[in-house]
Amino acid sequence: MCETVGEGRPSPWRVSDLTAPERALLTGVRQWFRAGTAGAMASMRIGLNVAGVPNTALLPLFALLGTFAVANARKPEIRCPACTRVSADEAALLDSLAAIQGGEAEVAAQLFDRWLPLVALCMATDAMRELAGILDTARIYLPRRRPARLLAMAAE
């Protein structure tokens, strides 16, 4: 049983609603937040490979996730790898990457601004651009799910 069920504000999506690359990225993010880079690397590589995401995506993904390790970063709600629900924060992470792919870097920066101080935000945006480029080259395009409205409602 997932220990995070019922915590935080859920998005309307379940993991099963996501595309294979989205599921692989989300699972990788969840594993990283639980085990860190060294503990999650092998399983993340396998999951990304199964979804067709190139191994070259690992470095910018680790750089992106590493921005949350800075002292003043607020951690997004990341559920356990077995959870079937997608949190609003997880949906925002996926949507920010989709926004970068769609040429909307300012939308991605706004989504990440709630968590990261300015320097880390710049680093995260650069890492997302690199990751988006790798996904684009592999012809993997993430759909916009637009959770920004959900997050705005949660802040109210």
Side-chain angles (χ1 to χ4, degrees):
M1 184 71 159
C2 178
E3 73 269 10
T4 56
V5 171
E7 290 183 12
R9 184 166 173 78
S11 75
W13 300 289
R14 300 179 68 76
V15 173
S16 61
D17 296 330
L18 304 177
T19 65
E22 285 178 305
R23 282 192 306 273
L25 288 166
L26 176 61
T27 299
V29 167
R30 287 175 170 185
Q31 291 169 334
W32 187 90
F33 269 88
R34 293 294 184 263
T37 300
M41 185 179 296
S43 58
M44 286 175 75
R45 177 176 281 136
I46 292 167
L48 293 174
N49 284 340
V50 168
V53 178
N55 283 335
T56 53
L58 280 171
L59 186 59
L61 181 57
F62 288 148
L64 170 62
L65 296 172
T67 60
F68 290 102
V70 299
N72 291 329
R74 182 177 79 73
K75 305 296 188 263
E77 182 203 344
I78 304 297
R79 298 194 168 191
C80 79
C83 191
T84 60
R85 299 292 305 180
V86 177
S87 75
D89 286 353
E90 290 170 333
L93 289 170
L94 291 172
D95 192 56
S96 65
L97 186 53
I100 291 275
Q101 283 189 297
E104 299 179 81
E106 67 284 347
V107 171
Q110 289 171 356
L111 289 169
F112 271 68
D113 186 45
R114 78 182 95 274
W115 300 305
L116 299 174
L118 184 59
V119 172
L121 178 63
C122 293
M123 292 169 51
T125 304
D126 287 346
M128 279 193 294
R129 279 192 187 104
E130 186 177 347
L131 180 55
I134 291 167
L135 294 175
D136 287 348
T137 300
R139 298 180 188 262
I140 296 171
Y141 304 103
L142 303 182
R144 289 296 310 274
R145 297 191 185 274
R146 307 203 188 263
R149 185 170 165 274
L150 292 172
L151 292 170
M153 289 174 9
E156 293 174 354

